Amino acid sequence: MLAWSFYSQGASEDKQASSSPFFEFALEQLNAEQRTFNSDEDKGDYLAKLLKTQPCVLVLDGLEPLQHATKGMRGELKHKDIRALLRSLASQTPDSKVLCIITSRLAVQDLDGRSHVKTKNLHNLTTADGVRLLQDLGVTGQKDELAKAVEEYGNHALALSLLGNILVYQYDGLVTQREQIAELIEEDGDSSSRHAFKVMQAYAHWFGESAEGRLLNLLGLFDHPIDKTVLRWLREQQIADLTAGMDKREFNRAVQSLIQDHHLLSQQENTPEVIDCHPLLREYFGKQLQTHCPSAWQQAHECLYHYYQTLPKQQQPDTLAELQPLFTAVAHGCAAGLYQPAFDDVYWSRIRRGNENFLTNKLGAFSDDLAVLAQFFSTPWSQPAASLADSDKAVALNIAGFDLRALGRLREALPAMQAGLTMQVDKADWRNAASAANNLSELALLLGELTQAIDYGKHAVRYADDSKIWSERMGRRTMLANALAQSGEPAQALAFFNEAERIQQQHQPYYPLLYSAQGFRYCQLLLASGELDAVIQRAEQTLAWAIQVKANLLTITLDKLTLANVYSQRAVRDHNPNDQQTTADFFQQAIAGLESAGQQDYLTRGLLDRAAFYSQSRQYDKAQQDLNRAFDIADYSGMRLYLCDYHLETARLALAQHDHASATQHHTNAEALIKATGYHRRLADCQELGRCLTKSSKT
């Protein structure tokens, strides 16, 4: 049995949880031989495969921190590894011996409609069950009086557990004595927690300034289970109104009292140094400390901010596991109000490593980056913390938008990027304004808003020219060119690509060709024009440069994807079996690289391209697998251009397998998307497919 609670990372939408600690725990418990993976999807599938090798119960408690809960969202899973794990388990065979139990306040839409998934709505206890719970805890009294008490506390299980404990420990277990508690009560909490908070307030008054009361306040500093070592360290800091005057013996006695006598804390047998409590307890006592002892709250979080910074052995850790203490340091620093130092000294210099963007470019850890970045927002993802410098507010907004886009959360990325652009234009920060407008152009393109994509692209070019920075002037022209190409304006697109390459040659004569994403976009246009030999020469040269300078993973991978596509087209043109194998090799490397890079938009492009290759080489099952996966990403994210490509390619596949009805339906869907988005680059393909369908129906 494996059990994990995601509530330990915070249960609200603004506390961006990471799935990484769960996977580290599960793989450790299962003695997994493999610990590194090409993609998050591979990690999820691998864990599912391990679980299926034995009878197993997997409990995932409080999944909602990993789900979308904002207005307009449906509770979809945010993390690719968790989504892959659950989808794999949900598609298991009937004789599988794995039971996965999920608790969440949000429906898990990703699993909706699957035959092996059963959903049960849980409510508060019935009155009869509430009475039995009180009796099991040792509360005595007439049944009607017990029933009355249950209903007074809203039949809420945690509230009744706390009530039973306090009655037994302080009032001889007499249910009639609950009225003694009522005198202390002030209304607090929302409808789901108010009754539990009533009893917690009684505990707070009862414990007062005792070691137990102060220990509960200490736990309110965290939103996760905590090691006693950290609590002991906080005790040694002798923080006024919190740990001052508490000695070691008093601390240990309070821990045992809260575990054994009051049942407010818990610890696992296999991890006795880690103690935990219900998230509502942490929430209540944390709020009490912050409200009534703000100085202690601030000082304690500041101490923890400095404590966690010292834990990594390296100033700039190299793995996600080694980076975890720095993530925690950021959380405590922001809780202490130290937003600017936490941003400058920890997040920017040690986690992201400045413009190196280590966490995303090297580790592909976009969800972890977003989870850390959330600490710098008072309202994700539109309002950064007020005390951040204006320039860093804009940076935080742009990074958040980029991370959200990479994770496929396109609609959420839009307001973050727009807010960042507005701030940079207001400051006349033309370099960053050009970058922000460029990102918005690419985002609008993915969403199928081509007119908007072109408008943002033109703004990006203008801001880049105002910046007078050659790399900005070069790069932003290629994004505008790409938007024009997709809208069916190849001549205008070619003019901007050629202008960008002239700028490149003028300032980097030793690299006379567009490279990285800029070169990838240009090669896509050249491929559409049938200039295969020119593309091969370009991509082979830029790949050699990228390997020579040890460029980031995405740059190298995009060159391999270009080569996969050009060799695929040449294999069809020349009927060369050697090109077929070369294509397969490059596609394998490209998809693996795109999965590791972690950007869903480029991965979807790669899957669609490989599906076309599989279909041409009559590997229909493999083509369908890639198309299904591309559709999952594109549909979930709202990538309408890729959805159009999906329908076109699926129609071709269906036609090749003589499924005329399916091919016709997908062709109709593609036609509608081209009309809705202005995706005129695919108009000729769609018309040609229509002619094939007409011919097929006649024969």
Side-chain angles (χ1 to χ4, degrees):
M1 176 173 172
L2 295 177
W4 185 267
S5 177
F6 293 98
Y7 276 131
S8 64
Q9 299 187 51
S12 60
E13 173 67 13
D14 62 345
K15 291 181 177 178
Q16 297 289 314
S18 168
S19 58
S20 298
F22 159 70
F23 277 94
E24 291 172 11
F25 161 78
L27 294 172
E28 177 71 25
Q29 293 297 309
L30 294 170
N31 298 315
E33 294 180 1
Q34 185 176 347
R35 298 297 178 88
T36 58
F37 304 90
N38 289 329
S39 69
D40 285 344
E41 287 88 352
D42 284 350
K43 181 166 61 174
D45 289 337
Y46 177 78
L47 179 55
K49 183 178 178 180
L50 278 184
L51 292 169
K52 291 176 183 178
T53 61
Q54 58 192 310
C56 179
V57 176
L58 173 65
V59 179
L60 303 179
D61 178 48
L63 194 65
E64 57 264 31
L66 271 63
Q67 295 175 262
H68 291 292
T70 52
K71 184 178 180 181
M73 301 301 291
R74 305 168 299 172
E76 296 97 336
L77 293 164
K78 300 175 182 177
H79 297 283
K80 296 174 287 182
D81 44 16
I82 289 288
R83 190 183 309 131
L85 167 66
L86 296 183
R87 284 182 175 177
S88 179
L89 294 178
S91 62
Q92 59 190 310
T93 57
D95 60 348
S96 175
K97 297 180 180 179
V98 180
L99 172 64
C100 178
I101 301 171
I102 299 169
T103 70
S104 176
R105 293 184 176 92
L106 301 170
V108 186
Q109 293 291 335
D110 302 75
L111 303 180
D112 192 35
R114 295 179 182 250
S115 58
H116 296 298
V117 176
K118 298 185 183 298
T119 301
K120 182 173 179 61
N121 292 325
L122 299 180
H123 305 285
N124 284 345
L125 298 175
T126 65
T127 299
D129 285 338
V131 168
R132 285 199 295 273
L133 173 58
L134 289 177
Q135 289 173 331
D136 285 346
L137 291 168
V139 178
T140 59
Q142 296 295 322
K143 278 202 171 182
D144 59 343
E145 193 67 26
L146 289 167
K148 185 178 178 182
V150 170
E151 292 168 1
E152 287 174 359
Y153 282 83
N155 298 62
H156 192 282
L158 175 63
L160 293 173
S161 296
L162 295 173
L163 174 66
N165 285 331
I166 200 169
L167 288 175
V168 169
Y169 200 84
Q170 193 173 9
Y171 298 105
D172 298 323
L174 299 174
V175 70
T176 54
Q177 293 298 303
R178 70 186 185 282
E179 295 179 1
Q180 300 297 318
I181 301 172
E183 298 174 2
L184 304 173
I185 291 171
E186 300 169 2
E187 288 292 325
D188 200 358
D190 58 26
S191 58
S192 65
S193 59
R194 183 176 63 253
H195 296 293
F197 282 179
K198 288 181 180 182
V199 196
M200 292 179 205
Q201 188 185 39
Y203 274 108
H205 281 269
W206 179 24
F207 288 136
E209 297 299 317
S210 68
E212 287 86 349
R214 288 186 286 167
L215 182 55
L216 287 171
N217 284 338
L218 270 181
L219 292 173
L221 296 167
F222 307 92
D223 63 357
H224 54 83
I226 191 65
D227 196 295
K228 291 179 187 175
T229 303
V230 180
L231 296 178
R232 293 188 190 105
W233 183 84
L234 279 172
R235 181 194 64 77
E236 293 169 0
Q237 305 312 299
Q238 295 292 289
I239 301 168
D241 298 322
L242 190 57
T243 60
M246 185 190 298
D247 60 28
K248 180 179 179 180
R249 180 179 298 179
E250 189 178 16
F251 170 83
N252 291 333
R253 182 195 58 76
V255 171
Q256 293 307 310
S257 173
L258 291 173
I259 293 173
Q260 297 174 2
D261 298 333
H262 303 290
H263 311 294
L264 296 178
L265 307 185
S266 63
Q267 60 184 9
Q268 301 294 325
E269 290 184 7
N270 58 338
T271 54
E273 280 297 296
V274 177
I275 60 176
D276 197 8
C277 63
H278 196 284
L280 290 180
L281 272 168
R282 284 197 294 265
E283 180 183 344
Y284 177 82
F285 283 98
K287 183 177 180 181
Q288 294 301 303
L289 180 63
Q290 186 177 17
T291 302
H292 300 296
C293 300
S295 177
W297 167 272
Q298 193 277 335
Q299 187 179 349
H301 278 297
E302 185 172 353
C303 287
L304 290 166
Y305 166 64
H306 294 295
Y307 172 80
Y308 280 105
Q309 286 187 66
T310 66
L311 295 185
K313 295 179 180 179
Q314 301 180 69
Q315 177 69 9
Q316 293 180 323
D318 293 323
T319 68
L320 274 178
E322 293 168 346
L323 280 162
Q324 291 299 321
L326 296 185
F327 298 165
T328 306
V330 167
H332 287 293
C334 292
L338 303 174
Y339 291 100
Q340 198 64 54
F343 190 90
D344 294 338
D345 301 336
V346 184
Y347 177 69
W348 190 255
S349 65
R350 299 182 67 184
I351 294 175
R352 281 189 69 87
R353 302 187 187 180
N355 290 323
E356 183 180 345
N357 299 337
F358 176 79
L359 195 57
T360 53
N361 284 355
K362 298 298 184 182
L363 300 182
F366 288 94
S367 62
D368 294 271
D369 190 40
L370 196 63
V372 180
L373 198 63
Q375 308 298 330
F376 298 103
F377 282 79
S378 53
T379 304
W381 301 102
S382 59
Q383 188 175 343
S387 61
L388 272 182
D390 286 344
S391 58
D392 291 327
K393 289 178 184 176
V395 168
L397 284 163
N398 286 333
I399 294 174
F402 187 79
D403 287 351
L404 288 163
R405 194 200 82 182
L407 292 168
R409 296 164 62 178
L410 305 187
R411 292 295 177 187
E412 290 178 88
L414 199 58
M417 289 184 175
Q418 288 170 333
L421 175 60
T422 299
M423 293 181 70
Q424 280 150 347
V425 170
D426 288 345
K427 294 187 297 136
D429 181 356
W430 302 124
R431 177 175 190 167
N432 286 317
S435 176
N438 184 82
N439 290 338
L440 278 163
S441 177
E442 193 165 13
L443 180 59
L445 193 63
L446 288 169
L447 290 169
E449 306 289 348
L450 268 78
T451 300
Q452 196 174 49
I454 292 171
D455 287 344
Y456 277 126
K458 290 178 178 177
H459 281 94
V461 169
R462 187 169 75 251
Y463 298 147
D465 288 345
D466 289 342
S467 78
K468 296 181 170 48
I469 298 172
W470 76 265
S471 57
E472 292 294 323
R473 297 181 62 241
M474 176 273 296
R476 306 319 161 204
R477 278 165 169 75
T478 67
M479 188 63 240
L480 174 57
N482 190 40
L484 290 166
Q486 306 312 317
S487 66
E489 300 290 346
Q492 289 188 53
L494 186 61
F496 276 106
F497 275 126
N498 289 336
E499 187 178 354
E501 192 155 80
R502 284 195 294 270
I503 296 172
Q504 169 77 29
Q505 292 166 350
Q506 180 181 355
H507 293 275
Q508 282 189 330
Y510 38 89
Y511 295 131
L513 303 176
L514 291 173
Y515 55 84
S516 192
Q518 293 82 15
F520 177 73
R521 295 169 191 145
Y522 193 12
C523 285
Q524 281 191 307
L525 180 64
L526 295 176
L527 277 172
S529 303
E531 299 185 38
L532 306 190
D533 294 337
V535 172
I536 289 176
Q537 292 176 6
R538 280 178 168 272
E540 286 181 344
Q541 179 61 77
T542 54
L543 177 59
W545 290 339
I547 293 172
Q548 182 182 14
V549 301
K550 298 180 180 179
N552 65 48
L553 179 60
L554 183 62
T555 293
I556 293 172
T557 299
L558 288 177
D559 282 330
K560 291 181 177 180
L561 181 58
T562 296
L563 288 168
N565 279 313
V566 70
Y567 278 112
S568 176
Q569 289 193 28
R570 201 172 77 169
V572 173
R573 185 191 70 184
D574 299 343
H575 306 288
N576 187 335
N578 291 331
D579 282 347
Q580 287 273 11
Q581 186 57 52
T582 301
T583 300
D585 292 343
F586 272 123
F587 266 127
Q588 182 180 2
Q589 295 172 47
I591 297 300
L594 291 170
E595 287 172 333
S596 295
Q599 291 189 229
Q600 295 290 279
D601 47 356
Y602 284 117
L603 174 59
T604 309
R605 176 73 273 151
L607 290 168
L608 289 166
D609 291 344
R610 189 170 68 174
F613 164 69
Y614 282 146
S615 184
Q616 290 163 4
S617 55
R618 299 184 180 181
Q619 301 178 68
Y620 297 142
D621 288 344
K622 289 183 177 181
Q624 191 63 63
Q625 288 175 8
D626 276 354
L627 286 170
N628 290 344
R629 190 172 169 196
F631 176 79
D632 281 346
I633 300 171
D635 184 55
Y636 167 78
S637 304
M639 300 177 183
R640 292 198 293 170
L641 295 196
Y642 287 157
L643 282 173
C644 180
D645 291 341
Y646 160 80
H647 286 300
L648 285 172
E649 197 55 51
T650 305
R652 291 194 187 100
L653 179 62
L655 193 59
Q657 298 178 94
H658 310 292
D659 186 348
H660 191 274
S662 176
T664 300
Q665 183 58 60
H666 283 290
H667 175 257
T668 300
N669 292 339
E671 270 188 323
L673 281 167
I674 290 172
K675 183 177 180 180
T677 62
Y679 190 18
H680 294 144
R681 183 178 77 85
R682 302 311 301 267
L683 189 58
D685 294 330
C686 190
Q687 291 169 342
E688 174 63 25
L689 182 59
R691 288 191 288 270
C692 290
L693 284 167
T694 301
K695 183 178 179 181
S696 173
S697 65
K698 290 179 179 179
T699 58

